[in-house]
Amino acid sequence: MTTGWRGHRGLVEDELRWWSSYRSSGPIKVFRIALTPDSGREAAAWNLLDTAERQRCRRFLYPAPRRQFLLCRAALRAVLCVALDCDNGELTFEFSRYGKPIPLVGGDRVPMHCNVSHSGSHGLVALSHRGRVGVDVEERRPRKNLEELVETVFGPQERALLARLEGQSWLDTFLAFWTGKEALAKAWGMGLRTDFSTFQVPPEMLRGERTGLFRCPRITNATWRLEDIGCDELAAAVAYEEDPGPGGEF
């Protein structure tokens, strides 16, 4: 059993809080999570987890993934308690077929969707009160062998655009496309099990805009809003249902 707390009064002292508001757009709110080592924050986060989450945390073999899970899951609990006005002891999760968390309060599903992403020392939590949501973040740094992924994860227009770029512009565009497609796949509940080469980011975003509508009936009947929410330090995107109807789907 977790230590109960009213979200907006908080068990975590302000000076220890490792999450902050990052982006608000339409029905979604995105929070940024600091994942750098900090013993005080990690102790506070541990107090928020339930027994199953603590067991899962202990199974990580290396400190960095363990810390990422600990701080991300505790931050998710904190922002959900505020959004749902519930006690942390009432908040539990069930999981979709592919592991996406679905919040429950008192054992019942609630009209709130959530998603989490992390990369290095950065994490994001996205909440939507209107329909499914997916978020992805990647540190904006060079990686080995990214060029080898282009043919397998991007569509023809994406590949053509990347072929005209080089250096930092190439990397920034690669990460913008990658995070956008990952955010969509996570919103659908599929994540990396999706074949990214079968769809492309919205046409508006291929033209350099930071947001666009995604429609692809052979993948999903819903219409999705995709937004590039990156900054100097990180590439990031959030995807959410533009008009899901009452309650959306899980």
Side-chain angles (χ1 to χ4, degrees), residues 4-222:
W5 63 291
R6 299 305 294 186
H8 39 299
R9 289 185 172 82
L11 175 66
V12 178
E13 298 176 2
D14 288 345
E15 60 268 23
L16 286 178
R17 192 169 298 171
W18 59 95
W19 68 92
S20 59
S21 180
Y22 179 72
R23 175 88 171 186
S24 180
S25 179
I28 63 105
K29 292 185 182 297
V30 181
F31 299 84
R32 186 170 177 175
I33 310 168
L35 299 178
T36 51
D38 185 295
S39 59
R41 290 174 172 177
E42 291 168 45
W46 183 260
N47 287 334
L48 300 183
L49 302 190
D50 65 17
T51 300
E53 290 165 335
R54 291 179 181 182
Q55 291 173 344
R56 180 177 172 185
C57 193
R58 291 189 183 103
R59 288 197 293 269
F60 286 95
L61 297 179
Y62 299 103
R66 186 184 309 123
R67 182 173 60 253
Q68 289 170 340
F69 173 80
L70 169 64
L71 294 175
C72 283
R73 181 53 60 87
L76 175 62
R77 281 185 164 275
V79 298
L80 280 171
C81 283
V82 174
L84 298 170
D85 191 23
C86 71
D87 187 271
N88 188 42
E90 299 175 276
L91 179 64
T92 57
F93 298 94
E94 62 181 20
F95 297 90
S96 70
R97 178 182 177 185
Y98 295 107
K100 188 175 183 181
I102 300 168
L104 310 174
V105 175
D108 297 322
R109 285 190 176 185
V110 292
M112 183 68 66
H113 298 249
C114 62
N115 199 225
V116 180
S117 181
H118 56 75
S119 176
S121 59
H122 306 283
L124 294 178
V125 167
L127 304 183
S128 173
H129 61 79
R130 197 173 69 186
R132 290 170 288 177
V133 64
V135 69
D136 191 57
V137 61
E138 295 288 341
E139 285 190 312
R140 205 179 287 281
R141 58 177 175 81
R143 325 281 177 86
K144 292 182 179 180
N145 305 320
L146 288 184
E147 293 84 355
E148 298 175 7
L149 295 175
V150 171
E151 292 297 321
T152 57
V153 301
F154 293 128
Q157 291 173 288
E158 295 164 334
R159 295 196 300 269
L161 198 157
L162 284 166
R164 299 195 295 269
L165 303 174
E166 58 184 18
Q168 190 65 42
S169 294
W170 186 94
L171 177 62
D172 289 343
T173 302
F174 179 101
L175 292 176
F177 289 169
W178 174 264
T179 56
K181 298 176 90 162
E182 175 76 353
L184 283 165
K186 292 178 71 178
W188 304 333
M190 296 288 291
L192 292 175
R193 295 167 183 84
T194 305
D195 182 353
F196 283 10
S197 67
T198 61
F199 68 97
Q200 300 188 112
V201 297
E204 302 97 319
M205 300 183 82
L206 287 169
R207 296 194 297 267
E209 298 180 28
R210 290 180 66 90
T211 186
L213 292 179
F214 179 90
R215 301 181 184 91
C216 188
R218 63 188 173 81
I219 295 177
T220 170
N221 291 325

